[in-house]
Amino acid sequence: MGVSPRPTVIVNVGPWDVKAWRSAFAALDADALFWPEDGDVTPDAPYYLCAWKAPAGFFQRFTEPKAIISLGAGVDHILDVVPEIRCPVVRIVSPSLTARMVEYVSLAVLYLHREVPLLRARQRRKEWIDMIQPQASAVTVGLLGLGVMGQACAKALQALGYKVRGWSRTPHDDPGIDSFSGKEGLPAFLSGLDVLCNLLPATAETNGLIGTSTFEAMTCPGLGVRYFVNAGRGETVRELELIAALETGLLGGAVLDVFANEPLDAGSALWGMDNVLVTPHVAANSDPVAIVADVASAIAALEAGRIPANTIDRENGY
Ligand code: NDP
Ligand code: OXD
């Protein structure tokens, strides 16, 4: 029996550090070529594409991959560019990504609930003012998206004492989480929330979902003020309505990691708002070494003729 040839993998990591990814990909049992860095790559055998925010030219150059593997959890950066591509599109589900997201969401919820921006302002003014803040058990946090990230964040927030609700496309029955689903379940999910955390993918159905009416529906019984965290995708939010909500006090504050246009435009009002923490899409960034291990598993499955776990459902777009 002959030894099967090493598969060819062609990689574009968009804005990320090519050097770090090249060294991680060196551990892969495959021939990894970086485009455009490795020059005129012309594969003469079947190949896989691995991508993060690759330019359209990447997919125009390599039109018949065996599969496309996203180097992160989201696949919108692929489907937006090549919506018609027919090969399997695989995303990353990794404890490394999930743990980072849990850290970020816990930090964001605590930052808003425990009023860090107010405390910082008082510190700058050297003001020592006594205050008593509600305990986490009085605060209800709602997670838009109860997938891999949403479920892990729900558990962490519960462990901190928060009351947690989740919203998803299909009904869930996760112990200890008040679960709501579908458009019809959204009003009941939102009512009674103090903090809304978005962990939704960007799809045809979720784009532009969150706006003024979403925030108005939150009755904020625990804190008396509404807060918003976005670590899902910027496209799911009507950004002008978000800015207006933060300006008028409909929202008391926000922690925002993702934006419709990234990097966030230098002219965006969000940069200068005292009640907003802007982070540059780093909530759960991809660690090359950890992610390449997941790429290896996906390729091994594909080479064995199996459909890897985490192959996305084209109909639903995630
Ligand atoms: P999953 O696919 O595991 O979960 C997606 C969740 O969204 C599911 O609960 C799904 O519902 C729900 N959903 C999708 N469409 C709808 C809809 N139309 N209505 C209601 N609910 C919907 O993804 P992950 O949890 O792994 O990741 C979620 C997203 O987080 C990624 O797509 C990415 O956009 C973002 N992300 C951001 C990062 C960052 O650094 N900022 C890092 C990693 C991810 P159902 O359960 O019924 O399928
Ligand atoms: C991801 C992300 O989808 O970083 O992994 O946003």
Side-chain angles (χ1 to χ4, degrees):
M1 208 168 79
V3 181
S4 36
R6 281 157 60 90
T8 300
V9 177
I10 307 173
V11 189
N12 183 288
V13 294
W16 288 340
D17 175 15
V18 173
K19 214 162 137 242
W21 282 93
R22 192 187 283 285
S23 112
F25 266 98
L28 198 68
D29 188 19
D31 293 317
L33 298 166
F34 282 68
W35 185 89
E37 291 80 6
D38 289 338
D40 189 21
V41 172
T42 310
D44 51 11
Y47 56 90
Y48 297 97
L49 295 181
C50 289
W52 180 255
K53 293 195 176 180
F58 181 61
F59 298 106
Q60 280 155 8
R61 174 85 177 71
F62 306 106
T63 52
E64 291 192 15
K66 282 177 89 173
I68 305 177
I69 304 171
S70 168
L71 295 174
V75 291
D76 46 315
H77 62 101
I78 296 167
L79 298 185
D80 286 353
V81 183
V82 277
E84 304 303 336
I85 195 116
R86 295 282 30 112
C87 67
V89 176
V90 182
R91 74 191 196 98
I92 296 293
V93 171
S94 156
S96 162
L97 281 184
T98 310
R100 284 161 210 263
M101 185 60 87
V102 165
E103 291 168 5
Y104 185 90
V105 168
S106 306
L107 168 79
V109 171
L110 285 164
Y111 175 91
L112 295 167
H113 157 215
R114 297 303 297 263
E115 299 172 282
V116 174
L118 173 69
L119 291 165
R120 290 286 302 163
R122 289 183 178 167
Q123 181 180 341
R124 278 193 295 274
R125 295 192 295 266
K126 301 184 181 166
E127 289 175 352
W128 184 279
I129 300 173
D130 188 34
M131 67 204 286
I132 178 144
Q133 296 166 314
Q135 221 179 304
S137 56
V139 180
T140 305
V141 182
L143 295 159
L144 285 168
L146 262 188
V148 175
M149 300 291 171
Q151 289 181 34
C153 290
K155 285 197 188 84
L157 292 168
Q158 280 178 326
L160 287 168
Y162 291 102
K163 289 183 269 194
V164 179
R165 291 181 186 178
W167 185 71
S168 49
R169 190 177 56 82
T170 57
H172 280 233
D173 189 14
D174 304 312
I177 308 171
D178 250 345
S179 302
F180 301 80
S181 62
K183 281 257 156 70
E184 60 292 351
L186 195 54
F189 164 77
L190 293 170
S191 152
L193 292 190
D194 296 287
V195 186
L196 179 67
C197 290
N198 179 32
L199 288 169
L200 286 172
T203 69
E205 276 196 29
T206 61
N207 286 348
L209 181 84
I210 302 162
T212 312
S213 55
T214 319
F215 306 131
E216 280 172 347
M218 298 164 62
T219 51
C220 55
L223 294 175
V225 53
R226 303 169 186 85
Y227 291 120
F228 179 55
V229 177
N230 194 6
R233 280 292 182 267
E235 289 83 348
T236 58
V237 180
R238 300 191 288 274
E239 208 160 274
L240 291 177
E241 294 183 28
L242 170 63
I243 291 170
L246 288 158
E247 282 171 344
T248 58
L250 175 59
L251 281 176
V255 173
L256 306 172
D257 188 55
V258 285
F259 305 88
N261 290 314
E262 297 181 3
L264 179 62
D265 192 88
S268 171
L270 293 167
W271 284 112
M273 291 183 166
D274 289 338
N275 56 349
V276 175
L277 177 65
V278 169
T279 58
H281 199 143
V282 291
N285 225 339
S286 293
D287 167 42
V289 173
I291 299 309
V292 166
D294 294 299
V295 171
S297 312
I299 291 177
L302 288 156
E303 288 291 290
R306 286 182 275 118
I307 301 206
N310 317 321
T311 301
I312 62 133
D313 177 332
R314 298 302 286 273
E315 184 125 337
N316 296 321
Y318 70 96

